Amino acid sequence: MNRNRFKVGAISAITGVISTLLVGLTASPASAATTPECNWGRITTLDTPSGRYLYLPAHTSGLYTCWMAYGTRGDEVRALQAAINFCYNHIPNLVPDGIYGDATKAAVRAVQTQHRIHVDGEYGPDTYSAMNFPLYRIVDNRFSGACV
């Protein structure tokens, strides 16, 4: 009788472990589940002084509260790299190559540390809300010297 009880207990334990592992494999991080991945560098003049604009990572739906991390490539990464280069002088300059690699991840971690938000090296809604972005002049598309 004890052997059967042991077998049933062992099978139940193994089943529980396998279920937990399967749930862990299929679940995504909360930020990834609710936040679209950045896939566009978007220019906006909303809430900027006259004659100025911001160039921000965005999603094609128009959302600026998007997410990106190591391995992302494109204009959205270039916009992030430019923002860090212009607005965070204490962080070594990034090559604006549009590739979210080791240097970009380290720079995002430094920005997150400075703003005292969760440090994971991934760009998401919290990083977007805390970060400063450079203002560009509409006349010549150059950095105006100010970050907002």
Side-chain angles (χ1 to χ4, degrees):
M1 183 116 177
N2 284 341
R3 278 189 174 167
N4 286 340
R5 195 176 297 158
F6 174 76
K7 286 179 186 176
V8 169
I11 290 171
S12 296
I14 291 170
T15 304
V17 168
I18 290 172
S19 322
T20 303
L21 289 173
L22 289 175
V23 168
L25 289 175
T26 58
S28 328
S31 63
T34 58
T35 308
E37 187 171 356
C38 302
N39 59 4
W40 186 29
R42 183 166 184 218
I43 292 174
T44 180
T45 56
L46 293 176
D47 299 326
T48 60
S50 179
R52 305 282 189 268
Y53 68 89
L54 295 170
Y55 182 54
L56 303 170
H59 182 263
T60 50
S61 66
L63 290 174
Y64 295 108
T65 53
C66 54
W67 171 87
M68 62 182 152
Y70 189 89
T72 304
R73 294 172 174 259
D75 287 337
E76 61 277 16
V77 179
R78 220 173 261 107
L80 174 65
Q81 291 167 332
I84 292 170
N85 284 344
F86 287 125
C87 299
Y88 296 90
N89 294 330
H90 65 284
I91 299 173
N93 272 351
L94 295 167
V95 175
D97 58 4
I99 301 169
Y100 203 120
D102 291 328
T104 303
K105 183 176 179 177
V108 170
R109 289 176 66 87
V111 168
Q112 291 168 331
T113 299
Q114 177 180 331
H115 290 287
R116 295 186 178 113
I117 59 174
H118 178 70
V119 178
D120 59 7
E122 296 181 0
Y123 176 88
D126 291 343
T127 306
Y128 162 75
S129 295
M131 264 188 78
N132 296 318
F133 290 91
L135 276 170
Y136 296 94
R137 293 185 297 253
I138 290 174
V139 173
D140 58 4
N141 294 324
R142 294 199 180 274
F143 176 49
S144 70
C147 293
V148 293

